[in-house]
Amino acid sequence: MTDSLPAPRISDLARSRGPGGVAHDVPDYLSGLNPEQREAVETTEGPVLVLAGAGTGKTRVLTTRLAHILATGRARPWELLVVTFTNKAAREMRERITHLIGPSAEGLRWLGTFHSVAAQILRRHAELVGLKSTFTILDTDDQERLLKQLLEAANIDTKRWTPKSLAGLIDHWKNRGWTPEKLPSGEDFANGKGQTLYAAYQSRLATLNACDFGDLLLHNLTILSKHADIAEEYRRRFRYILVDEYQDTNVAQYLWLRLLTSSTGNVCCVGDDDQSIYGWRGAEVDNILRFEKDFPGAKIVKLERNYRSTSHILGAASGLIAANRDRLGKTLWTEDQSGDKVRVRGVWDGEAESRLIADEIETARRSGMNYKDMAVLVRASFQMRAFEERFVLLAIPYVVIGGPRFFERAEIRDAHAYLRLIQSEDDDLAFERIVNVPKRGIGDTSVQKILQIARHNGVSAMAAVRDLITSDELQARTRTALSTFVRDLDRWRALAADTRHWLLTETVLEESGYTDMQKADRATGPARLDNLKELTQAMQSFETLGTYLEHVSLVMDMDRGPASDAVQIMTLHGAKGLEFPLVFLPGWEEGVFPSQRSIDEKGEKGLEEERRLAYVGVTRAKQDARISFVANRLVYGRWTSQLPSRFVDELPIAHVEAESDTGYYGASAGMKEAKNRWDDAPSFGAGYTSPGWQRAQAVTASRAPAARPARNTVIEGEGRLVATADPKTGAGFKKGQRVFHQKFGYGSVRVIEGNKLTVTFDKAGEKKVIDTFVEKAD
DNA sequence: GTTGCTTACCTTTTT
DNA sequence: GGTAAGCAAC
């Protein structure tokens, strides 16, 4: 196994390059670093906080530090815990370390995202929190459907109290490390039902042998805090801990780290408080701001020398971020004095904006720049479409990074549901998803009946189905459909044993009629079939179906093929950690960026986060950053006047070159009104309504609950949360017992086999029924 | 049980 | 303006 790998080969590498490598004791890999970077790499013992500004070589420091620890024999690969936030970051880190130290990087078993490492740990100790080690990880869709069931069972109006909002709330609670028992008072949902619903949800998850994303960490916290021996084992194992993007850790992740770090811990956190942009996901900038208090004697290293951008870009970004109050403060500098000022353009509307950017892309292209060196970074994905349309029109190649996530597409989830059900018959959510996809004539009523039986008997839906098809509860047609379904599944399961999983997938899609169903859909079918093809292709790089499914549940993202020469379109969040020679930053308008919602929900804190996002955006640029805003935008199909973003005003004029042609467009079309400042343009103030439209919506929404009280405010007892069978029914039937059945009427019991009764009905004749569907009659 | 129409909601951002 | 869920009609 990994433990028997040869010693790290970095020593070879250290000697291999350059004549200077032998002259000093300084290994080759350290020689290219500046003094601060060296310090960050060589301070291996004790807590270290590396404040790495944008473009200061953070990843290089991180990977070199790891290589250094390994090369100097301080630890072996499997004794390092390395956590990142995104899969992309984890992947990149692994690649770069492999490049530095060779194949022994494979021994880095504990390198991954918080969630994937937590999942690994949880699999080993699942039984301590009432799960089996084979637990499945639910995605948001599964989660919301489950919550919807719970809400409905509790008679809560799911329009007013949406499953989505409850999911968000529960996630928020989990991010803070709150189990249902530890939920502080004041945290609530649906008038006092919050905690009960949360508890009910957790117990449903346990029944399903499943957990959600938040649970991965929350269960870890439970295990590590309740079992001192286990925590101690991990503390001994992880001799060095490295955390990337520390500014984005939430409370749960923070607590998790603390549990895994001993008092003398060699923990190194790297981050940039100015780039904290995940507050909405529970990130606490405070974690990084109070590092010194948490780890007394911690060494703080600031990386301020920027190697990425020109001084104008850095100047613009620094001026912008200076408006934030909550920061540790650092000053980026560069020796690169070349380059143009940041260009700011105000144009008439969204179409003009996409035209402008497309034109500039073509100009840049003509001057020899590759498409892939240009990026359009937007605040929210709805902004992407305008650019896509324009680019298609002009045949500018582009790729949308992020966008609708591959694994969230309906057809991919359907395929997964089939596979999950083949792999584990207990997967009720998978069952629900595909029993009737493609249509088999198993409607909602039947499905509900199946689920009811399953829940009542404490078995899986599939088990209930197997039961039901030998009874007369369901219509003959439904029964036939279900038997076919069961037979198919059994056949595929048998097939799975000796078939490669991607071939199995193809067979299943074919034989289930799924492919035919898509073929029948002329509109979306072809694209979906393409996606499925892509899916089976991607599956081939995994050993087994199991490893594949584990991977997709954690990595909701897929490695696409090698980057082609195309303009990259992505959100600002998605752009973090990347860099491009030429960056376009459209949509800098109040309400769009900063997003109104962010301000409404989190006030000044929200605004500061938006500003950090702007900072992230500008600092992605190496040579040129081009910001733009429009005077009019089509929102929800409605024209709205826009005001330039306050961030535009905050850019220091010394580093900006601005021009707006929106001024008198209406009066004299095409006339350009060049000026240095644009906020005095009379036309902006004139018909200014935005962001009123959004605010008005928010107000209506938040008032609605008070004005219209829920119909079902009183819900008796907690037990009502989960549907229970009618109390009049139950086991204990005797031969000859008179019974009543909703559909078949009165009759008497003739045979009893487990939960199945053969009843001779007075009118309907002899039928096999499930005991929960009959009542005793006198 | 399925099809086709109407309506409500939507637009943050991701593991 | 687009989409997904919900509802009435087949």
Side-chain angles (χ1 to χ4, degrees):
Chain A
M1 255 210 43
T2 41
D3 293 48
S4 60
L5 277 174
R9 296 188 330 169
I10 190 150
S11 46
D12 307 340
L13 187 128
R15 272 181 257 115
S16 66
R17 266 194 282 148
V22 198
H24 319 287
D25 282 321
V26 179
D28 204 30
Y29 59 88
L30 287 180
S31 59
L33 302 176
N34 70 33
E36 294 76 31
Q37 291 176 327
R38 279 265 310 254
E39 192 179 12
V41 166
E42 291 183 302
T43 313
T44 54
E45 311 308 300
V48 184
L49 176 65
V50 180
L51 286 171
T56 54
K58 181 194 72 171
T59 311
R60 178 163 187 203
V61 165
L62 268 175
T63 47
T64 312
R65 183 183 162 93
L66 285 176
H68 183 66
I69 288 170
L70 295 171
T72 50
R74 287 180 164 83
R76 290 163 297 173
W78 50 94
E79 292 169 333
L80 298 176
L81 171 65
V82 186
V83 276
T84 63
F85 265 82
T86 62
N87 295 297
K88 199 169 67 183
R91 215 182 300 134
E92 189 188 340
M93 184 102 65
R94 188 176 288 278
E95 274 164 21
R96 286 177 69 159
I97 296 173
T98 307
H99 187 73
L100 273 177
I101 70 172
S104 66
E106 278 168 36
L108 290 162
R109 290 175 45 207
W110 303 96
L111 181 157
T113 62
F114 274 99
H115 290 91
S116 67
V117 174
Q120 256 189 83
I121 293 180
L122 186 54
R123 293 238 183 253
R124 303 172 137 215
H125 313 284
E127 73 291 349
L128 297 176
V129 287
L131 292 172
K132 286 182 268 178
S133 68
T134 53
F135 65 82
T136 50
I137 302 164
L138 300 191
D139 58 29
T140 24
D141 197 59
D142 289 334
Q143 218 181 100
E144 280 167 26
R145 274 188 300 157
L146 218 151
L147 286 170
K148 191 171 180 206
Q149 289 172 9
L150 289 175
L151 287 169
E152 278 165 357
N155 265 320
I156 292 170
D157 180 2
T158 49
K159 288 228 172 77
R160 241 192 79 193
W161 306 98
T162 62
K164 202 184 182 134
S165 55
L166 181 55
L169 200 56
I170 289 178
D171 191 50
H172 171 74
W173 291 337
K174 290 183 175 174
N175 284 340
R176 306 209 66 115
W178 294 331
T179 55
E181 308 81 58
K182 287 195 213 141
L183 196 66
S185 55
E187 292 291 331
D188 193 27
F189 187 81
N191 305 323
K193 288 267 121 191
Q195 189 176 27
T196 321
L197 284 165
Y198 183 14
Y201 171 65
Q202 290 306 99
S203 84
R204 276 294 283 144
L205 286 179
T207 318
L208 289 166
N209 189 32
C211 70
D212 62 22
F213 266 99
D215 279 336
L216 294 175
L217 278 149
L218 197 62
H219 286 326
N220 265 250
L221 293 183
T222 309
I223 292 166
L224 294 173
S225 55
K226 282 197 184 150
H227 302 271
D229 50 326
I230 295 176
E232 187 51 36
E233 182 202 319
Y234 282 106
R235 279 195 289 270
R236 266 203 308 272
R237 176 194 304 257
F238 300 135
R239 302 179 59 180
Y240 293 87
I241 297 178
L242 210 74
V243 186
D244 191 15
E245 308 279 19
Y246 190 61
Q247 76 282 355
D248 286 332
T249 45
N250 61 38
V251 174
Q253 289 160 336
Y254 168 80
L255 293 171
W256 185 79
L257 279 173
R258 303 244 36 188
L259 283 164
L260 291 175
T261 314
S262 53
S263 47
T264 57
N266 299 322
V267 59
C268 174
C269 295
V270 184
D272 179 1
D273 50 314
D274 289 335
Q275 293 187 66
S276 168
I277 54 174
Y278 285 105
W280 51 274
R281 214 176 72 190
E284 290 276 341
V285 207
D286 290 353
N287 288 345
I288 196 166
L289 299 177
R290 61 153 196 254
F291 188 87
E292 280 178 284
K293 276 185 216 135
D294 286 339
F295 299 95
K299 181 152 206 166
I300 313 270
V301 182
K302 281 190 187 183
L303 304 181
E304 298 181 303
R305 175 166 181 184
N306 176 294
Y307 294 94
R308 179 188 295 154
S309 313
T310 67
S311 60
H312 281 313
I313 289 167
L314 277 192
S318 302
L320 189 62
I321 200 67
N324 271 6
R325 292 209 326 270
D326 275 345
R327 28 188 325 244
L328 291 169
K330 51 184 173 337
T331 318
L332 294 189
W333 61 278
T334 177
E335 284 180 351
D336 186 350
Q337 297 302 318
S338 71
D340 295 335
K341 291 183 176 181
V342 172
R343 207 188 282 180
V344 180
R345 290 288 180 270
V347 293
W348 178 244
D349 62 7
E351 206 203 320
E353 186 178 48
S354 54
R355 205 183 317 129
L356 172 79
I357 289 177
D359 288 350
E360 295 194 6
I361 287 171
E362 291 195 312
T363 310
R365 170 70 186 177
R366 273 195 296 275
S367 68
M369 188 181 270
N370 288 321
Y371 286 124
K372 66 174 190 312
D373 291 332
M374 312 179 218
V376 180
L377 309 183
V378 296
R379 174 64 184 86
S381 32
F382 76 92
Q383 295 171 266
M384 292 176 177
R385 193 194 298 156
F387 296 101
E388 292 194 59
E389 282 170 6
R390 188 79 202 160
F391 293 172
V392 167
L393 195 70
L394 299 180
I396 295 174
Y398 71 89
V399 277
V400 174
I401 312 280
R405 331 222 101 236
F406 185 76
F407 290 110
E408 280 169 25
R409 290 167 200 265
E411 64 275 21
I412 303 301
R413 301 177 103 122
D414 288 340
H416 283 159
Y418 273 101
L419 296 172
R420 276 160 60 185
L421 202 55
I422 289 167
Q423 208 196 23
S424 150
E425 186 150 309
D426 298 334
D427 200 329
D428 284 8
L429 291 158
F431 168 83
E432 252 186 281
R433 184 167 184 103
I434 45 100
V435 244
N436 205 29
V437 179
K439 303 243 184 306
R440 298 187 171 86
I442 305 163
D444 204 39
T445 348
S446 308
V447 174
Q448 287 313 316
K449 203 164 195 174
I450 292 164
L451 291 176
Q452 191 190 332
I453 292 274
R455 207 164 298 162
H456 181 268
N457 295 344
V459 297
S460 69
M462 279 303 288
V465 168
R466 287 180 195 279
D467 225 10
L468 276 165
I469 48 179
T470 56
S471 79
D472 294 311
E473 293 296 342
L474 299 168
Q475 286 187 5
R477 204 191 300 169
T478 316
R479 231 161 44 213
T480 323
L482 280 170
S483 333
T484 315
F485 182 61
V486 169
R487 218 188 46 231
D488 283 348
L489 268 176
D490 288 342
R491 193 178 63 247
W492 295 327
R493 189 167 300 129
L495 195 65
D498 56 356
T499 314
R500 304 313 313 258
H501 47 286
W502 60 92
L503 296 174
L504 174 74
T505 310
E506 281 168 11
T507 310
V508 169
L509 290 173
E510 202 58 52
E511 292 185 359
S512 64
Y514 196 89
T515 316
D516 287 336
M517 177 184 86
Q518 294 297 350
K519 275 182 191 153
D521 183 347
R522 308 253 318 269
T524 55
R528 293 184 189 278
L529 287 171
D530 276 353
N531 287 334
L532 289 169
K533 209 172 274 172
E534 198 175 336
L535 174 79
T536 47
Q537 207 128 34
M539 288 177 87
Q540 300 184 18
S541 48
F542 292 88
E543 274 298 305
T544 66
L545 184 58
T547 53
Y548 168 75
L549 288 175
E550 169 79 0
H551 177 84
V552 293
S553 55
L554 282 168
V555 185
M556 294 297 287
D557 183 12
M558 201 170 64
D559 241 341
R560 299 308 185 97
S564 51
D565 186 28
V567 177
Q568 320 234 23
I569 304 177
M570 64 186 93
T571 65
L572 288 161
H573 284 88
K576 187 153 103 171
L578 304 177
E579 56 179 36
F580 306 93
L582 174 56
V583 168
F584 295 96
L585 300 158
W588 282 43
E589 298 130 38
E590 285 295 303
V592 174
F593 190 36
S595 128
Q596 189 59 47
R597 188 159 166 183
S598 186
I599 297 172
D600 285 347
E601 280 171 11
K602 305 202 83 180
E604 190 60 28
K605 281 209 157 187
L607 179 63
E608 294 214 343
E609 181 153 317
E610 294 286 306
R611 192 175 282 114
R612 289 193 290 268
L613 206 45
Y615 175 79
V616 168
V618 175
T619 53
R620 295 312 93 198
K622 294 166 88 166
Q623 292 157 27
D624 279 297
R626 297 186 187 167
I627 294 164
S628 55
F629 58 87
V630 304
N632 303 284
R633 196 175 280 285
L634 204 54
V635 193
Y636 293 156
R638 243 166 223 262
W639 282 104
T640 322
S641 315
Q642 300 289 97
L643 192 71
S645 170
R646 68 193 78 191
F647 300 152
V648 170
D649 282 335
E650 289 168 6
L651 295 167
I653 203 86
H655 299 291
V656 169
E657 176 262 314
E659 194 178 284
S660 168
D661 60 14
T662 63
Y664 304 96
Y665 199 91
S668 54
M671 189 180 111
K672 256 198 183 164
E673 154 94 339
K675 47 179 152 35
N676 261 346
R677 305 292 293 184
W678 40 86
D679 52 0
D680 55 350
S683 61
F684 282 125
Y688 170 58
T689 52
S690 172
W693 63 273
Q694 258 175 343
R695 178 152 308 196
Q697 266 188 344
V699 170
T700 338
S702 62
R703 278 210 186 130
R708 180 165 29 90
R711 264 194 305 149
N712 305 303
T713 34
V714 184
I715 301 153
E716 347 72 51
E718 302 189 346
R720 293 288 302 151
L721 283 172
V722 178
T724 51
D726 189 70
K728 276 178 288 183
T729 67
F733 289 98
K734 283 195 189 126
K735 237 183 199 177
Q737 167 83 49
R738 288 290 289 169
V739 293
F740 176 76
H741 187 279
Q742 277 285 314
K743 196 160 68 181
F744 305 131
Y746 288 93
S748 33
V749 178
R750 203 174 66 77
V751 185
I752 306 166
E753 305 160 85
N755 65 339
K756 224 168 288 169
L757 311 173
T758 306
V759 180
T760 316
F761 288 101
D762 301 349
K763 293 196 177 134
E766 195 169 286
K767 298 280 180 195
K768 277 194 176 179
V769 297
I770 309 274
D771 58 6
T772 39
F773 280 99
V774 296
E775 299 170 27
K776 288 177 186 165
D778 320 293

